[in-house]
């Protein structure tokens, strides 16, 4: 349990720092790349939702601090919340970035590949992922079982 | 060095390092599969030990192979954006599929290593088969891009725009099969001879008749048989490749042979160097009529000489030396393996004489040198084009000028990697001797593959 | 949805996935270095063992991402290639050293300490470099005519936005890793 506490202590430092950095990013964007700042602000409601998820993950991590009982905290919820937060953030940035890939030189239309090539490439994505995803799932389950067994062994020998 | 040469040197250095690890990375899984199959046939545990030690070696080599491959993949678009723009539009499929092939390899490799003792023998062989298949498929697919550069298909330029794109026609371009086959076969040959070199060296260092000596002799015998098969197939394929060159990139063939005048009954010159002023190969040994015969299966075949092409289309003339080195080493490998096999099977000799073993020790590095020569020949022989008669190297290169610093940085990294990979292998195998592994294999309930390998 | 929009969604999806995977990987490296002195925590060991199986996939994902970009948006290759040649080369060099020593340290225990420092330092620098790609794409510092583009480095280095992004990238890598760690660590103890 000690390791978990150390992780949590450091998360308490890096989490707020990350939030500060995110605010700095928005602030500097407004000055230097107003076009994308305006685009992101169109979805300011979503940015707010993303902030809420960030706070949820913080609460999930620090639950033990808020109660006197021996509560373990909810690391799983914290991860899910943080990934959702991340997903929303990158969606807002991504949408605002369109149609440019590189501002102002290349847009998605000017850079786009030949339609026949696109169809062929897209087909390989579908086939490739249909083969690989189950394969990796299988491997991951073997591997995780292995890790857990090793961990148990280490715990017992301590 | 001007800008283009710097970019070429930079990318060439990367490929020169990567290709060593990539080639062995394709060849070794084939050897591992062979060892596992031998175990199923003979039930001799030493073959499992062999497969295990080769797996470990492969794991360490991949530590350089994968990162340098990553560099190659990314550096292509950094150094040759003009080229990759065309490739992206027309020839993206092989790169795309190669990623999956590699993932398949990585996936089954992990299953083979992590689950080796937990799965049935047939499942182990199946997973190993997919490791070998994935490795081979990656090599074949990447060589396909190289084939496309020599024999482009599936698109046209119209007023500088790419039109009529047919990605599958580009994929199955005319020299796909011979070129990709050449890469796969030479990789297997190299894999076999690299193993042979290590085994022969260990036999020289151990006393005749000791268990360790016998272990390495088994490895040597296995690699001799496979080495002979694949080096012979390489020769057949090499012949087909030459005929493709004759039809599709005649100036490359002419430069490889140092042929200036178009002629029938053209001779094949071994050794020597091509003299631009004298328009001939100096200090070479000429075999009359042979080139015509090799190019078109008859002595009347007219082989086009360099003088029929504008001089700015000529590849650099030193490719003659590279081509020769590749062919001579290749033929030498066949002869060596054939001799060893006859010595062992028909003359019924128990073991090999010392000088043969020393030749085998040399065969490993030589086959790697041959691979290097082959690649440099194939790529410089295509100059001044990146895509033959479609796109020049000049139009492919980045407009970024200060490559010198980056180049130095990469060279330092390659040196660090090459030194530490050798150190790692020596260190590990010094501490994990063959005898330990055999002992472990004979004890039941001891995991032969530790989960870290 | 138009094809181009579908394609950019795919690319952005890959970038997102990579960012998650890379955060775990790079964060693990940095924290392992920080915790190296705290033996009683076991945290170093946990972080280190967590590294190993992901590296091959993460490494290949880089190539997959680059391939996705140039096969779906070949028209962007030239400006991207020119703009990113310096940061991408630095990333490549660091990634290369990091991955190689990750592998070597499994066979040579002597390397373990070196690895901890290498993966720790690169775990901090690489995310910073990776995320600096974003400001390059939106700040408009890629100048010059088509086929002759150039990245204006002095403008980039004096841009507060660039530094804000780098700081954000590093902090989020460290934070996401810390969030995800306890999961793998708690489960076996139950």
């Amino acid at each position: 349990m000690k390791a978990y506490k150390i992780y949590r202590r450091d998360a308490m430092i890096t989490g707020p720092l990350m939030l500060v950095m995110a605010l700095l990013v928005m602030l500097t964007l407004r000055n230097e790349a107003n076009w994308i700042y305006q685009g992101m602000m169109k979805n300011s409601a979503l940015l707010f939702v993303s902030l809420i998820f960030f706070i949820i993950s913080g609460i999930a991590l620090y639950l033990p601090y808020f109660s006197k009982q021996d509560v373990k905290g909810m690391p799983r919820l914290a991860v899910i919340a943080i990934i959702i937060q991340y997903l929303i953030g990158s969606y807002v940035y991504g949408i605002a970035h369109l149609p440019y890939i590189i501002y102002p030189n290349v847009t998605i239309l000017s850079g786009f590949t030949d339609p026949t090539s696109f169809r062929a490439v897209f087909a390989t994505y579908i086939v490739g992922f249909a083969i690989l995803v189950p394969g990796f799932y299988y491997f991951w389950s073997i591997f995780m079982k292995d890790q857990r067994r090793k961990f148990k062994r280490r715990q017992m020998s301590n | 060095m001007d800008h283009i040469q710097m970019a070429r040197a930079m990318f060439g250095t990367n490929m020169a390092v990567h290709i060593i690890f990539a080639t062995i990375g394709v060849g070794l899984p084939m050897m591992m599969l062979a060892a596992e199959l031998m175990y199923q046939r003979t039930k001799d545990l030493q073959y499992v030990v062999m497969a295990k030690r080769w797996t470990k070696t492969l794991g360490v080599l991949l530590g350089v192979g994968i990162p340098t491959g990553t560099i190659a993949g990314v550096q292509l678009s950094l150094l040759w954006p003009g080229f990759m723009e065309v490739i992206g539009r027309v020839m993206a499929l092989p790169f795309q599929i190669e990623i999956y092939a590699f993932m398949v390899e990585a996936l089954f490799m992990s299953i083979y290593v992590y689950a080796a003792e937990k799965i049935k023998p047939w499942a182990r062989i199946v997973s190993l088969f997919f490791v070998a298949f994935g490795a081979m498929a990656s090599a074949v697919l990447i060589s396909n891009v190289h084939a496309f550069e020599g024999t482009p298909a599936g698109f046209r330029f119209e007023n500088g725009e790419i039109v009529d794109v047919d990605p599958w026609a580009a994929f199955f371009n005319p020299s796909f099969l011979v070129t990709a086959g050449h890469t796969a076969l030479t990789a297997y040959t190299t894999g076999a001879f690299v193993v042979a070199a290590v085994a022969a060296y260990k036999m020289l260092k151990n006393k005749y008749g000791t268990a360790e000596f016998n272990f390495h002799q088994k490895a040597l015998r296995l690699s001799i048989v496979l080495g002979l098969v694949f080096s012979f197939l390489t020769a057949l394929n090499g012949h087909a490749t030459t005929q493709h060159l004759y039809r599709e990139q005649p100036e490359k063939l002419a430069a490889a042979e140092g042929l200036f005048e178009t002629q029938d009954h053209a001779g094949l010159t071994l050794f020597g160097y091509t003299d631009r002023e004298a328009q001939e190969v100096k200090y070479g040994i000429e075999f009359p009529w042979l080139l015509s015969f090799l190019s078109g299966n008859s002595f009347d075949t007219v082989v086009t000489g360099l003088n029929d092409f504008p001089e700015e289309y000529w590849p650099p003339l030193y490719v003659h030396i590279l081509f020769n080195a590749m062919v001579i080493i290749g033929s030498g490998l066949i002869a060596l393996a054939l001799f060893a096999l006859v010595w062992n099977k028909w003359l019924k000799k128990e073991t090999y004489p010392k000088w043969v073993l020393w030749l085998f020790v040399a065969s490993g590095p030589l086959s790697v040198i041959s691979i290097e020569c082959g690649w440099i020949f194939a790529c410089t022989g295509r100059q001044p084009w990146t895509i033959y008669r479609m796109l020049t190297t000049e139009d492919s290169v980045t407009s970024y000028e200060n490559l010198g610093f980056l180049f130095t940085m990469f060279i330092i990294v390659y040196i660090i990697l090459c030194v530490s990979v050798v150190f790692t292998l020596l260190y590990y195998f010094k501490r994990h001797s063959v005898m330990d592994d055999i002992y472990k294999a004979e004890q039941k309930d001891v995991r032969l593959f530790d989960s870290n390998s | 949805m138009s094809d181009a929009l579908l394609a950019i969604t795919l690319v952005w999806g890959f970038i997102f996935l990579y960012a998650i995977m890379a955060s775990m990987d790079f964060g693990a490296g940095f924290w392992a270095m920080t915790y190296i002195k705290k033996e009683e925590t076991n945290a170093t060991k946990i972080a280190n063992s967590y590294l190993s199986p992901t590296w091959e996939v993460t490494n290949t994902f880089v190539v997959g991402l680059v391939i996705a970009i140039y096969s779906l948006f070949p028209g962007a290759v030239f400006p991207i290639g020119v703009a990113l040649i310096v940061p991408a080369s630095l990333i490549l060099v660091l990634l290369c050293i990091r991955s190689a020593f990750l592998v070597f340290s499994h066979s040579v225990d002597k390397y373990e300490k070196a690895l901890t420092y290498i993966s720790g330092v690169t775990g901090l620098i690489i995310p910073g470099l990776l995320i600096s790609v974003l400001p390059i794409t939106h700040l408009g510092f890629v100048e010059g005519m088509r086929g002759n583009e150039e990245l204006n480095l002095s403008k980039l280095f004096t841009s507060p936005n660039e530094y804000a992004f780098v700081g954000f990238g590093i902090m989020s890598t460290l934070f996401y890793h810390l969030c995800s760690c306890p999961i793998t660590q708690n489960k076996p103890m139950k």
Side-chain angles (χ1 to χ4, degrees):
Chain A
M1 238 21 228
K2 261 186 187 162
Y4 178 43
K5 273 196 184 134
I6 288 183
Y7 281 145
R8 205 168 47 193
R9 184 202 65 202
D10 289 337
M12 191 141 77
I13 304 166
T14 47
L17 268 178
M18 174 185 139
L19 193 65
V20 171
M21 283 298 172
L23 291 176
L24 273 180
V25 162
M26 290 308 285
L27 219 71
T28 48
L29 265 186
R30 197 168 69 168
N31 291 333
E32 292 178 62
N34 204 262
W35 67 278
I36 199 166
Y37 176 77
Q38 295 296 339
M40 287 177 81
M41 275 310 164
K42 272 186 208 146
N43 281 318
S44 50
L46 273 178
L47 283 178
F48 190 69
V49 174
S50 125
L51 183 67
I52 289 175
F53 273 100
F54 180 79
I55 294 168
I56 290 178
S57 86
I59 293 175
L61 276 178
Y62 298 118
L63 216 53
Y65 284 100
F66 303 130
S67 94
K68 286 259 154 34
Q69 281 125 17
D70 189 23
V71 187
K72 269 197 172 171
M74 293 186 279
R76 194 172 286 243
L77 176 67
V79 177
I80 293 170
I82 209 73
I83 288 181
I84 293 176
Q85 184 263 323
Y86 201 8
L87 191 63
I88 296 173
S90 50
Y91 171 79
V92 173
Y93 174 83
I95 282 286
H97 206 292
L98 289 179
Y100 296 105
I101 293 179
I102 292 188
Y103 177 83
N105 313 41
V106 192
T107 67
I108 54 168
L109 285 175
S110 76
F112 194 53
T113 185
D114 192 273
T116 29
S117 282
F118 173 70
R119 276 192 290 277
V121 166
F122 201 75
T124 65
Y125 273 126
I126 293 171
V127 176
F129 277 76
I131 296 171
L132 285 175
V133 170
F136 272 102
Y137 179 77
Y138 171 65
F139 165 65
W140 203 247
S141 59
I142 297 182
F143 176 75
M144 273 305 180
K145 233 184 271 165
D146 202 57
Q147 285 294 96
R148 245 168 268 159
R149 214 195 45 226
K150 250 200 276 178
F151 200 96
K152 231 175 235 163
R153 212 187 301 152
R154 198 154 59 209
Q155 290 291 309
M156 277 189 288
S157 66
N158 277 354
Chain B
M1 252 199 272
D2 70 10
H3 176 52
I4 293 185
Q5 272 176 326
M6 186 71 105
R8 285 184 56 203
M10 198 168 156
F11 192 69
T13 312
N14 170 259
M15 286 311 288
V17 176
H18 177 63
I19 206 66
I20 300 172
F21 297 91
T23 304
I24 301 176
V26 175
L28 259 189
M30 183 274 297
M31 295 299 293
M32 282 149 53
L33 184 60
E36 283 276 3
L37 287 172
M38 283 300 284
Y39 169 65
Q40 292 308 324
R41 227 186 72 184
T42 61
K43 294 290 167 198
D44 180 349
L45 268 175
Q46 295 200 354
Y47 284 109
V48 179
V49 174
M50 232 177 256
K52 186 234 158 173
R53 291 171 75 82
W54 293 341
T55 310
K56 183 71 202 182
T57 312
L58 180 67
V60 173
L61 293 179
L62 282 181
V64 181
I66 295 174
T68 51
T70 309
I71 294 181
V74 181
Q75 219 172 49
L76 267 176
S77 5
L78 297 176
L79 291 176
W80 312 106
F83 168 66
M84 288 317 281
E85 198 174 332
V86 181
I87 292 293
R89 275 188 208 286
V90 187
M91 194 59 179
L93 286 175
F95 278 113
Q96 203 67 252
I97 305 171
E98 193 262 352
I99 290 287
Y100 307 133
F102 180 79
M103 293 273 191
V104 165
E105 181 193 346
L107 178 64
F108 281 96
M109 180 83 172
S110 312
I111 293 175
Y112 176 69
V113 171
Y114 279 106
E117 262 92 11
K118 284 170 246 160
I119 53 181
K120 296 215 165 65
W122 67 264
R124 210 159 74 176
I125 288 180
V126 168
S127 49
L128 197 46
F129 170 80
F130 278 106
V131 173
F133 174 78
M136 189 267 286
S138 320
V140 161
L141 288 159
I142 289 302
S143 322
N144 188 18
V145 179
H146 174 76
F148 171 84
E149 292 180 66
T151 56
F155 76 107
R156 265 180 327 111
F157 271 113
E158 207 175 88
N159 308 324
E161 296 286 315
I162 295 169
V163 291
D164 285 347
V165 175
D166 180 349
W168 288 107
F171 189 96
F172 294 105
N173 65 81
S175 61
F176 167 39
L177 283 181
V178 278
T179 306
H182 198 65
T183 310
L185 290 171
T186 50
Y188 287 157
T189 310
T190 308
F193 281 100
V194 166
V195 166
V198 176
Y201 182 75
K202 291 283 178 184
M203 284 168 72
L204 285 164
K205 292 284 144 190
N206 283 292
K207 269 213 185 77
Y208 172 76
T210 57
E212 210 166 336
F213 181 92
N214 289 338
F215 174 83
H216 290 297
Q217 180 150 294
K218 267 179 212 163
L220 181 64
R221 282 201 181 133
L222 184 62
S223 49
I224 286 172
V225 174
L226 290 167
L228 180 62
V229 171
F230 287 114
S231 57
F232 182 69
L233 289 176
T234 302
L236 291 183
N237 165 279
H239 177 60
T241 313
T242 312
Q243 297 205 334
H244 263 268
L245 277 189
Y246 165 72
R247 285 196 298 274
E248 281 139 7
Q249 287 168 276
E251 63 265 48
K252 194 173 182 176
L253 181 65
E257 298 298 349
L259 186 75
F260 287 87
E261 288 305 323
T262 300
Q263 53 189 275
D264 50 22
H265 297 83
L268 183 79
T269 316
L270 270 191
F271 300 107
Y273 74 95
T274 318
D275 189 326
R276 190 181 285 264
E277 301 307 317
Q279 297 228 329
E280 61 172 12
V281 178
K282 285 215 167 134
Y283 310 114
I285 307 163
E286 192 174 322
F287 297 87
W289 301 3
L290 196 57
L291 180 58
S292 281
F293 185 77
L294 289 177
S295 306
N297 298 329
S298 103
F299 297 115
D300 306 327
T301 308
V302 178
V303 183
T304 320
L306 283 170
N307 288 338
D308 280 18
F309 300 97
E311 197 165 341
E312 65 263 27
Y313 285 8
W314 290 10
L317 296 179
Y318 61 76
V319 295
H320 173 70
I321 299 169
L322 298 170
F323 184 72
N324 267 209
M326 174 180 87
V327 172
I328 291 166
I329 292 173
S331 320
L333 293 179
I334 300 178
L336 178 62
L338 190 62
F339 174 80
L341 193 72
V342 169
W343 180 267
N344 181 235
K345 289 267 159 179
W346 280 280
L347 300 179
K348 306 271 181 214
K349 303 280 186 188
E350 271 298 300
T351 188
Y352 308 97
K354 275 220 160 111
W355 61 272
V356 172
L357 289 180
W358 279 115
L359 281 179
F360 272 112
V361 173
S363 74
L366 280 175
S367 57
V368 172
I369 290 172
S370 176
I371 294 270
E372 297 275 2
C373 289
W375 273 106
I376 302 172
F377 161 65
C379 289
T380 54
R382 195 188 51 245
Q383 299 303 321
W385 309 100
T386 45
I387 301 179
Y388 182 64
R389 297 282 167 93
M390 289 282 199
L391 186 72
T392 61
T393 312
E394 209 178 335
D395 290 334
S396 311
V397 76
T398 173
S399 53
Y400 181 81
E401 299 277 349
N402 309 315
L403 292 174
F405 167 70
L406 297 178
F407 190 17
T408 321
M409 190 172 72
F410 277 107
I411 287 181
I412 294 171
V413 170
Y414 298 144
I415 292 173
I416 295 175
L417 290 187
C418 291
V419 171
S420 42
V421 79
V422 172
F423 176 77
T424 302
L425 286 174
L426 291 178
Y427 182 96
Y428 180 84
F429 285 111
K430 203 174 261 173
R431 272 155 195 76
H432 298 79
S433 72
V434 175
M435 296 322 295
D436 289 349
D437 278 347
I438 293 177
Y439 175 76
K440 259 206 243 167
E442 282 162 357
Q443 311 293 306
K444 289 202 173 123
D445 306 325
V446 176
R447 290 191 70 190
L448 189 54
F449 288 83
D450 51 278
S451 55
N452 276 339
S453 52
Chain C
M1 216 198 269
S2 77
D3 281 356
L5 203 55
L6 183 63
I8 197 72
T9 311
L10 204 65
V11 169
W12 194 238
F14 285 158
I15 293 177
F16 177 76
L17 271 180
Y18 178 72
I20 300 264
M21 275 162 37
S23 295
M24 312 266 187
D25 191 14
F26 295 130
F30 177 77
W31 290 119
M33 180 174 78
T34 327
Y35 300 145
I36 199 165
K37 292 262 163 61
K38 302 193 173 97
E39 298 238 339
E40 84 276 14
T41 62
N42 243 350
T44 309
K45 254 187 193 154
I46 293 159
N48 254 343
S49 69
Y50 196 67
L51 278 170
S52 50
T54 42
W55 84 271
E56 269 190 5
V57 177
T58 319
N59 231 308
T60 323
F61 218 90
V62 178
V63 188
L65 192 58
V66 172
I67 288 174
I69 292 173
Y70 63 63
S71 54
L72 295 171
F73 296 98
V77 173
F78 210 105
I80 291 184
V82 174
L84 297 188
I85 189 162
V86 177
S89 296
L90 289 173
I91 293 170
L92 284 176
V93 162
L94 295 174
L95 262 185
C96 191
I97 299 260
R98 177 192 167 89
S99 319
F101 276 86
L102 207 64
V103 175
F104 297 159
S105 69
H106 280 314
S107 311
V108 185
D109 24 349
K110 263 197 265 178
Y111 282 167
E112 203 149 306
K113 201 156 191 192
L115 167 76
T116 312
Y117 287 108
I118 290 175
S119 77
V121 173
T122 54
L124 210 55
I125 302 175
I126 299 175
L129 285 169
L130 279 172
I131 202 159
S132 67
V133 172
L134 290 181
I136 291 175
T137 66
H138 68 229
L139 285 174
F141 295 161
V142 183
E143 295 165 349
M145 294 305 288
R146 175 143 180 71
N148 237 332
E149 286 101 338
E150 210 176 329
L151 174 67
N152 192 325
L153 278 176
S154 56
K155 273 192 188 168
L156 186 71
F157 283 132
T158 51
S159 150
N161 187 240
E162 162 77 15
Y163 294 106
F165 260 92
V166 170
F168 174 71
I170 292 173
M171 283 306 150
S172 61
T173 304
L174 299 184
F175 180 63
Y176 287 139
H177 177 75
L178 289 179
C179 279
S180 67
C181 249
I183 284 200
T184 44
Q185 215 199 314
N186 266 351
K187 228 194 292 173
M189 291 195 214
K190 276 179 189 159

